[in-house]
């Protein structure tokens, strides 16, 4: 006899409706695999009158998510409302009430993971969140469980499908950012308000969750370097190509030898030969380097109704296993090996620097001199022919340097009379 587990869905939008639909579709299979039959007993939405693509019995719907918490027949709540304040209050109350929480809310966990998991540990209530990072890719479970015997040397990820779609179109067709974004919005790949997608913060929320899980403490968002793809031009993509690189919005998570953790999500030049360079369109990928496993790469759909609900169904299976045999793991385990972030200004990288300069002798010497004063070495220089906005583009790649002095030097270069417009400084990742 299967155990029946009562589910409350808080949210019936893209993902919530997908979970309901796919529970109907694969519930019997899930039951055979887990010994549990999942029954959706309540669904909270904002607007009861809204027409819906996925149909569920009218009597399941409520406008108050608190009704899910008050129902003793609901053992697992699935938070898929979006936003931060309302889900935070809801998740807190769910844990207090002893209900297992499943959520896909990366913004909530990146901002409030520390307090949520402290409460979860105190109350011995699991919180599962596979859908919060990289949609259908099971990266949370892998980092938490499959790689539990590894020290993480580095994790790199392409974690935002919208940005990756835009950069892919810019690369393949030589288009500029603005028109591709407008088209992505029309096609529904980008939200009406695409800010979090293109300004890097959606990917940063996911990187914070991955880094926190890998290094055993909650990374404060203020310690993460985040930049969006808005300033990358079709010319930058072409120059990078000439140098043997692709530009990706890359999450880089790594520990230095002293145990300081670096997390950044910035447009980054990566060698064309690296596997992540060939991840195109809306796809996501995560490359994990562990001291025991070596390199492992995950690839798949990072968003969308079905891939994301696949991860939620996996979490429901976890919840069933917990109910059948409660165990220590509550979704996040802190440990004492690390515990501090490396200040962003002291993180080291190679860089790509694109300047607009006057077309006259002596300019290169002035620029080289400014870089030399800051002890920043030049790796290569290309000066493509032709004018861009009335100045000549000058593209330099630069040796490893700390970010703080590098940024200051880029500002110093911008103030030279021979330099026109704002320089573009991008990180380069060689994965060494
Ligand atoms: N979409 C994806 O591909 C994806 C992928 C990974 C993670 N996620 C995460 O999953 C979560 C849900 O995303 P989504 O795309 O499914 O969002 P969505 O389509 O906007 O759906 C949100 C749902 O929550 C309901 N809701 C909002 N506020 C509520 C409240 N105060 N009380 C009760 N119900 C409320 C809405 O009700 P109405 O239907 O009445 O408006 C709607 O059904 C977000 O945290 C998102 O970051 C999404």
């Amino acid at each position: 006899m299967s155990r029946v587990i009562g589910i409350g869905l808080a949210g019936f939008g893209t993902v919530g409706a997908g979970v309901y639909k796919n529970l109907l579709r694969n519930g019997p299979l899930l039951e055979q695999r887990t010994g549990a039959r999942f029954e959706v007993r309540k669904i909270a939405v904002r607007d009861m009158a809204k027409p819906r693509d996925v149909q569920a019995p009218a009597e399941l719907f409520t406008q108050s998510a608190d009704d899910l918490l008050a129902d003793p027949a609901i053992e697992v709540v699935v938070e898929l409302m979006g936003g931060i304040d309302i889900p935070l209050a809801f998740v807190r109350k769910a844990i207090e009430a002893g209900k297992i929480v499943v959520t896909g809310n990366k913004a909530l966990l990146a901002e409030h993971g520390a307090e949520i998991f402290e409460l979860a540990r105190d109350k011995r209530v699991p919180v599962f969140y596979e859908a919060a990072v990289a949609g259908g890719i099971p990266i949370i479970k892998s980092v938490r469980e499959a790689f539990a015997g590894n020290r993480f040397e580095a994790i790199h990820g392409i974690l935002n499908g919208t940005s990756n779609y835009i950069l892919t179109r810019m690369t393949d067709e030589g288009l500029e950012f603005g028109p591709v974004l407008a088209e992505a919005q029309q096609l529904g790949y980008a939200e009406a308000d695409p800010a979090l997608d293109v300004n890097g913060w959606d990917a940063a929320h996911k990187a914070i969750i991955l880094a926190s899980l890998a290094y055993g403490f909650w990374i404060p968002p203020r310690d993460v370097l985040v930049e969006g793809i808005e300033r990358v031009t079709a010319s930058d993509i072409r120059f990078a190509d000439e140098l043997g690189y692709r530009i990706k919005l890359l999450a880089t998570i790594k520990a230095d030898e002293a145990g300081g953790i670096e997390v950044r999500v910035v447009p980054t030049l990566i060698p064309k030969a690296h596997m992540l360079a060939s991840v195109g369109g809306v796809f996501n990928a995560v490359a994990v380097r562990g001291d025991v496993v070596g390199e492992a790469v995950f690839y798949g759909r990072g968003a969308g109704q079905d891939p994301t609900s696949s991860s939620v169904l996996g979490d429901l299976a976890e919840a069933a296993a917990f109910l059948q045999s409660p165990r220590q793991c509550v979704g996040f385990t802190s440990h004492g090996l690390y515990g501090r972030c490396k200040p962003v200004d002291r993180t080291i990288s190679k860089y790509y620097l694109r300047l607009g300069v006057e077309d006259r002798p002596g300019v290169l010497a002035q620029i080289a001199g400014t870089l030399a004063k800051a002890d920043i070495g030049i790796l290569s220089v290309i000066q493509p022919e032709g004018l861009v906005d009335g100045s000549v583009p000058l593209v330099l790649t630069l040796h490893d340097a700390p970010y703080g002095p590098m940024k200051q030097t880029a500002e110093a270069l911008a103030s030279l009379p021979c330099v026109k417009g704002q320089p573009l400084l991008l990180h380069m990742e060689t994965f060494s």
Side-chain angles (χ1 to χ4, degrees), residues 10-17 44-48 50 52 62-65 79-83 86 103-107 131-135 191 202 206 302-305 308:
F12 201 70
T14 304
V15 188
V45 290
R46 211 168 10 197
D47 176 2
M48 303 270 279
K50 198 176 192 175
R52 299 188 186 273
T62 168
Q63 246 170 328
S64 166
E79 187 282 302
L80 295 165
M81 293 184 282
I86 292 173
T103 179
N105 193 330
K106 52 242 164 188
V133 180
E191 303 284 332
D202 173 76
K206 298 167 187 170
Q305 184 166 71
T308 311

Side-chain angles (χ1 to χ4, degrees), residues 299-312:
Y299 169 86
R301 291 193 180 272
Q305 184 166 71
D306 289 338
T308 311
S309 42
S310 163
S311 287
V312 174

Side-chain angles (χ1 to χ4, degrees), residues 362-382:
V363 166
L364 191 54
Q366 272 188 58
I367 288 161
T370 307
L371 287 163
K373 240 190 260 164
D375 208 18
I376 296 170
I378 297 173
L379 266 169
S380 71
V381 181
I382 53 171

